[in-house]
Amino acid sequence: MNKKQLSNLIDPNIQTYEFTDMDREKFTVNFKCYRNLYENVEKIYELAPLYDHMKRELKRLPKWREYCKRYCKISWDKCKEYPLDEQEQLLMKQAIAWRASRSWIAMNVENFLMLQLMEWGYDIVEHLYIDIAMGVDIVAIDNEGRLTYIHVTKNTEYALSKVEKKEKYNNHLGGRVRFQRDFTNHLVLAYDPKESKRNRIIHGIPAFRKEYVINQMGMVKEHETIEDNRLSELAWACRKVVARQGTGFTSHEGVEFKPKRK
């Protein structure tokens, strides 16, 4: 991932929406029930790794339109089973499309941040299982070898509460191998959908301001180090699964979490 790849993502049609008051007047109890089921209960396992899978498949960062199209198809294949009438189906399709767009934007907020951190002198550790197992978006290492575990989310009460809930998930990496999440001394960076003191908007994507990020990173009380950290524990857990289930589990990158440098 580099600046050229990010610049290729520019699409003047990038949009994200929220339902209007007029839309909400059409919400039925049935629709609200099944929308909640889709967004908060249903486990559609293909969605969480979709961006990374497309990145490896395409050998580049997926663009907004192609990502949203794939996201919507996976989601609708599940939601079309719900007992919704014609109007409710239309509302559900809108909810899915807008969620897909927000998901793509969130992924690229992370991409922007990783580039920024590398420009500011940090090394970055990025791996699918850091997200899936640890629940962490980015691991940044400063020039003193201290690790900062970063969660990136939208600056809303709902989004921030979901970060807290993620800590409680126990992850089965395969068989009986588990990884216990612990967000103690982790950093949450929250972006606004419009220009603010936290971030700018670049081609429709929020980009954190340096002063906000550096100030927040300075508030982390304790740091793990290169010599003693939970990435080693995660790598051990991954290798344990590989030993039990074969190499398919880590076929795309392996389990050694090596930092990226500028």
Side-chain angles (χ1 to χ4, degrees):
M1 186 229 359
N2 52 46
K3 286 184 178 179
K4 183 177 180 181
Q5 285 178 306
L6 278 179
S7 67
N8 289 336
L9 292 175
I10 297 172
D11 185 333
N13 297 311
I14 292 173
Q15 298 174 357
T16 185
Y17 307 94
E18 298 293 341
F19 281 115
T20 65
D21 290 339
M22 189 176 296
D23 291 326
R24 292 188 179 91
E25 290 176 2
K26 302 174 186 175
F27 288 6
T28 62
V29 172
N30 190 56
F31 167 72
K32 288 190 283 188
C33 173
Y34 283 101
R35 182 190 179 193
N36 179 67
L37 177 65
Y38 162 65
E39 295 188 347
N40 300 309
V41 180
E42 202 79 76
K43 302 294 184 185
I44 305 180
Y45 293 103
E46 299 97 322
L47 293 181
L50 178 62
Y51 191 91
D52 287 289
H53 286 171
M54 291 185 69
K55 185 165 66 173
R56 292 193 300 275
E57 174 189 315
L58 299 168
K59 296 183 172 56
R60 59 172 171 79
L61 300 178
K63 295 185 178 182
W64 173 74
R65 191 175 300 279
E66 59 194 358
Y67 174 81
C68 290
K69 184 176 180 180
R70 186 90 59 94
Y71 190 107
C72 289
K73 182 181 185 308
I74 293 169
S75 296
W76 184 245
D77 282 347
K78 183 65 180 179
C79 293
K80 68 183 180 183
E81 301 171 2
Y82 299 159
L84 303 172
D85 64 27
E86 188 174 343
Q87 180 64 48
E88 291 167 341
Q89 286 187 0
L90 179 59
L91 289 170
M92 184 64 78
K93 287 179 179 179
Q94 288 177 318
I96 290 170
W98 298 347
R99 190 172 190 235
S101 186
R102 291 193 300 271
S103 172
W104 183 91
I105 289 172
M107 294 294 181
N108 286 288
V109 173
E110 293 177 26
N111 286 332
F112 267 132
L113 179 58
M114 283 189 281
L115 272 180
Q116 290 172 306
L117 289 169
M118 287 190 285
E119 288 184 349
W120 301 337
Y122 289 87
D123 292 334
I124 299 298
V125 184
E126 179 192 15
H127 194 285
L128 177 63
Y129 298 119
I130 290 175
D131 183 6
I132 291 176
M134 296 186 79
V136 172
D137 297 316
I138 299 171
V139 181
I141 307 173
D142 67 17
N143 55 16
E144 296 181 18
R146 298 178 303 181
L147 279 66
T148 302
Y149 296 97
I150 302 173
H151 304 266
V152 179
T153 192
K154 193 174 182 181
N155 187 26
T156 64
E157 184 178 348
Y158 175 74
L160 291 166
S161 70
K162 289 198 74 172
V163 174
E164 293 181 9
K165 290 177 182 177
K166 281 202 307 182
E167 183 178 10
K168 296 178 175 65
Y169 300 161
N170 287 327
N171 279 272
H172 290 270
L173 296 181
R176 296 181 179 178
V177 181
R178 290 189 179 189
F179 185 86
Q180 180 67 49
R181 293 180 174 182
D182 182 357
F183 291 177
T184 304
N185 290 316
H186 285 202
L187 173 64
V188 177
L189 296 177
Y191 61 88
D192 295 314
K194 298 180 180 180
E195 293 263 347
S196 70
K197 293 181 179 180
R198 296 168 181 260
N199 55 264
R200 297 170 293 151
I201 302 296
I202 301 177
H203 306 304
I205 302 172
F208 288 113
R209 297 182 189 275
K210 183 176 182 178
E211 55 270 27
Y212 167 71
V213 175
I214 299 303
N215 179 62
Q216 294 300 111
M217 293 184 82
M219 295 175 69
V220 177
K221 295 179 180 179
E222 294 182 17
H223 295 267
E224 295 178 0
T225 66
I226 289 290
E227 293 75 25
D228 183 18
N229 60 73
R230 295 208 76 202
L231 291 181
S232 301
E233 182 183 340
L234 178 58
W236 177 86
C238 289
R239 284 193 288 271
K240 193 172 181 181
V241 175
V242 172
R244 291 183 178 181
Q245 297 190 346
T247 58
F249 180 80
T250 55
S251 60
H252 64 284
E253 284 187 35
V255 294
E256 297 300 332
F257 303 116
K258 298 178 180 179
K260 293 182 178 180
R261 294 178 170 83
K262 184 179 178 182

